[in-house]
C-alpha cells in the first residue's frame, strides 16, 4: 500500500493544504477532520471513475457526492431498501443505469437480485478505493 503523505503532515501543513483546496477550515480543529476533508475534496475533483463489474462498465462523476439530494436518497435507503434504484440512477445517470440493467439481465430478461446486490457492492467498493488511497 502506498504511503499516506497526509498522515505525515503537521496540523499547520494540513491546514495550508486544505486552504489551497478551498476548504473552509474554521470548524476543522483536529488533524483527522482535516485529512478527511482533504481526501473528500480531492475525490470530488478527481474526475470520472471508471467502474467495471463483469460485462458492465460505467463512469461515475464524483461530483454527484457533493449533492445534498444524494444524502436524502441514502437516508431513505436506510429505512426502505427499494431506494437502491434511486441511488443507482442518481450516481450512474439514467442512461448508464438502463445500460447496466440490460447487461445484468439473465437470458430470460430478468434481473436476479443477487446480481444487482453484487453489482451494487462492486460499485461502492470501487468508489471507496480512491478515498482510501488518496
Amino acid at each position: 500500500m502506498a504511503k499516506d503523505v497526509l498522515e505525515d503532515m503537521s496540523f499547520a501543513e494540513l491546514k495550508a493544504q486544505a486552504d489551497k483546496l478551498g476548504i473552509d477550515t474554521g470548524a476543522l480543529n483536529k488533524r483527522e477532520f482535516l485529512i478527511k476533508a482533504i481526501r473528500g475534496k480531492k475525490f470530488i475533483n478527481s474526475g470520472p471513475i471508471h467502474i467495471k463489474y463483469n460485462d458492465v462498465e460505467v463512469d461515475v462523476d464524483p461530483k454527484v457526492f457533493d449533492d445534498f439530494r444524494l444524502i436524502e436518497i441514502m437516508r431513505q435507503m436506510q429505512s426502505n431498501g427499494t431506494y437502491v434504484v434511486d441511488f443507482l440512477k442518481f450516481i450512474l445517470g439514467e442512461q448508464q443505469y438502463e445500460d447496466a440493467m440490460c447487461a445484468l439481465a439473465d437470458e430470460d430478461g430478468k434481473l436476479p437480485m443477487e446480481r444487482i446486490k453484487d453489482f451494487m457492492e462492486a460499485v461502492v467498493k470501487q468508489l471507496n478505493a480512491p478515498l482510501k488511497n488518496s
Side-chain angles (χ1 to χ4, degrees):
M1 178 181 239
K3 186 175 182 201
D4 186 353
V5 295
L6 295 176
E7 294 290 340
D8 291 337
M9 289 181 163
S10 70
F11 184 83
E13 291 170 324
L14 288 168
K15 196 159 174 53
Q17 178 75 22
D19 288 337
K20 192 166 37 171
L21 291 169
I23 298 169
D24 180 5
T25 60
L28 303 175
N29 56 3
K30 293 186 177 181
R31 291 182 79 257
E32 58 266 21
F33 297 160
L34 284 169
I35 291 170
K36 282 184 182 182
I38 292 167
R39 284 185 180 138
K41 187 72 164 190
K42 284 182 176 181
F43 171 72
I44 287 170
N45 292 327
S46 67
I49 296 172
H50 188 73
I51 296 172
K52 184 172 176 149
Y53 172 77
N54 293 343
D55 295 335
V56 181
E57 292 190 42
V58 294
D59 292 308
V60 175
D61 184 350
K63 286 185 178 19
V64 300
F65 294 96
D66 193 25
D67 189 324
F68 185 75
R69 294 173 297 175
L70 183 61
I71 300 297
E72 192 174 34
I73 291 168
M74 292 171 70
R75 181 185 58 82
Q76 292 168 325
M77 254 181 19
Q78 288 180 331
S79 61
N80 183 343
T82 62
Y83 278 93
V84 71
V85 173
D86 297 308
F87 175 78
L88 285 173
K89 281 184 178 182
F90 192 84
I91 66 169
L92 299 179
E94 200 72 39
Q95 188 60 55
Q96 283 194 126
Y97 173 82
E98 292 300 328
D99 293 345
M101 294 305 109
C102 286
L104 291 168
D106 64 16
E107 56 279 346
D108 297 328
K110 303 231 183 305
L111 286 166
M113 294 301 287
E114 190 70 21
R115 280 190 195 167
I116 301 303
K117 180 184 85 58
D118 292 346
F119 173 67
M120 177 84 168
E121 287 174 356
V123 167
V124 170
K125 182 178 178 182
Q126 290 179 56
L127 286 172
N128 277 331
L131 284 172
K132 291 180 180 177
N133 298 323
S134 60

